[in-house]
Amino acid sequence: MLVVSNTSPILNLAIVDRLKLLHQQFGQIQIPAVVLEELKVDEERPGSQSIQAEIADGWLQVQSVSNQTFVQLLRQTLDGGEAEAIALALELQAEWVLLDERDGRRVAKSLGLQVTGVLGVLLKAKQSGELPSLQPVIEELTQNAGFRIAPELLTRVLEA
């Protein structure tokens, strides 16, 4: 399964020590070079060592985006990681693109991409029994990773 990720899903899940969920659900994941830069794995930050380990393990792979003209077009409204992740997903004809930010998700969907993010990954892990409860992980995300979630969305996710 071809999957491309933006920075946020990888970083947030690494900070709460749940990065392996991406590997379990999707196998190999491609990230554009700018996402690797945004992850700042060479700095001593929460989640950095975990991300470095997964890159070394080989399931998290860096791939270049060919169509830089399209990336520049997307960067008019999106940040670099989102723009390159969407462009790479289209180039590779990926089955999924992992994005959390609302604008990036909207653009990706408008281009025909299937989108999920941290909450979708956690929900799937809960449904498959890999995660006993969502509440503690979501609390950890908001407290330790600065993850923001609208109260209505949180209610819907917890009810699901």
Side-chain angles (χ1 to χ4, degrees), residues 6-62:
N6 183 29
T7 308
S8 174
I10 294 169
L11 184 59
N12 285 314
L13 289 170
I15 289 172
V16 298
D17 199 28
R18 297 288 194 282
L19 191 54
K20 289 280 188 199
L21 291 175
L22 292 179
H23 183 52
Q24 291 167 347
Q25 291 179 21
F26 301 108
Q28 190 172 322
I29 295 180
Q30 306 296 318
I31 61 172
V34 75
V35 166
L36 181 62
E37 290 171 23
E38 290 178 356
L39 288 169
K40 300 179 185 200
V41 295
D42 294 333
E43 297 178 17
E44 237 352 92
R45 293 174 171 241
S48 292
Q49 289 181 340
S50 176
I51 296 167
Q52 285 175 340
E54 302 311 343
I55 290 170
D57 196 34
W59 69 262
L60 199 53
Q61 299 185 335
V62 181

Side-chain angles (χ1 to χ4, degrees), residues 59-91:
W59 69 262
L60 199 53
Q61 299 185 335
V62 181
Q63 178 137 359
S64 297
V65 179
S66 299
N67 191 344
Q68 288 301 314
T69 304
F70 186 55
V71 170
Q72 292 309 314
L73 179 66
L74 290 172
R75 285 191 79 154
Q76 292 178 10
T77 55
L78 303 174
D79 75 21
E82 293 167 322
E84 286 206 11
I86 290 169
L88 184 59
L90 288 170
E91 281 181 22

Side-chain angles (χ1 to χ4, degrees), residues 77-135:
T77 55
L78 303 174
D79 75 21
E82 293 167 322
E84 286 206 11
I86 290 169
L88 184 59
L90 288 170
E91 281 181 22
L92 298 177
Q93 297 179 326
E95 293 178 52
W96 288 95
V97 63
L98 309 179
L99 297 160
D100 285 319
E101 296 78 8
R102 183 180 299 141
D103 290 343
R105 292 171 68 91
R106 181 182 43 77
V107 170
K109 287 177 183 177
S110 75
L111 293 168
L113 293 167
Q114 284 192 103
V115 179
T116 194
V118 168
L119 294 177
V121 168
L122 293 176
L123 193 55
K124 187 174 179 183
K126 169 74 172 106
Q127 291 167 343
S128 68
E130 297 170 74
L131 203 59
S133 175
L134 289 177
Q135 185 77 36

